[in-house]
Amino acid sequence: MSDKNDFQEFSEDAAVKFIRERLSEDVASRLSDDDILDIVDAAYDYDDNGLLDLSDFDSDVDERKMASAIIESTGCGLTESEVLEIIGLENLYEDSLNDF
């Protein structure tokens, strides 16, 4: 039996499902699960600490520059705003892991 207050571990499958369910149908239909994970991984690779949080307004990360780098490195064919939406949704997923 699991206690409601148990720490929930990050799951790639759950993260992809969470992101896919919240993306527009158009964007979601153009991406495989691996594509979504590649974008998330590329964002963490871009950030030296692996703790990128686009909701942090004090962040010194240039979001447009990061999105352009992700587009170039993954070849995903998305716009900057679509890439940033995926990263934002991944952050929401992580935040939801311990909403209790």
Side-chain angles (χ1 to χ4, degrees), residues 1 8 26 31 58 95:
M1 180 189 316
Q8 295 180 27
D26 174 56
L31 300 171
D58 295 329
D95 290 345

Side-chain angles (χ1 to χ4, degrees), residues 23-40:
L23 282 174
S24 70
E25 188 175 323
D26 174 56
V27 175
S29 70
R30 292 186 275 149
L31 300 171
S32 70
D33 291 353
D34 287 339
D35 293 334
I36 293 172
L37 285 175
D38 286 347
I39 292 166
V40 170

Side-chain angles (χ1 to χ4, degrees), residues 3-76:
D3 185 309
K4 180 179 173 182
N5 293 326
D6 284 348
F7 177 78
Q8 295 180 27
E9 291 187 30
F10 180 90
S11 161
E12 287 183 349
D13 292 336
V16 168
K17 181 180 178 189
F18 183 95
I19 292 166
R20 185 174 294 288
E21 288 175 348
R22 288 158 180 81
L23 282 174
S24 70
E25 188 175 323
D26 174 56
V27 175
S29 70
R30 292 186 275 149
L31 300 171
S32 70
D33 291 353
D34 287 339
D35 293 334
I36 293 172
L37 285 175
D38 286 347
I39 292 166
V40 170
D41 288 343
Y44 281 103
D45 290 345
Y46 186 86
D47 180 52
D48 291 336
N49 297 320
L51 300 171
L52 185 65
D53 184 355
L54 296 181
S55 65
D56 180 3
F57 293 108
D58 295 329
S59 174
D60 58 357
V61 173
D62 181 333
E63 293 176 8
R64 294 177 60 92
K65 186 175 177 183
M66 179 195 67
S68 292
I70 290 170
I71 291 166
E72 184 177 326
S73 70
T74 63
C76 63

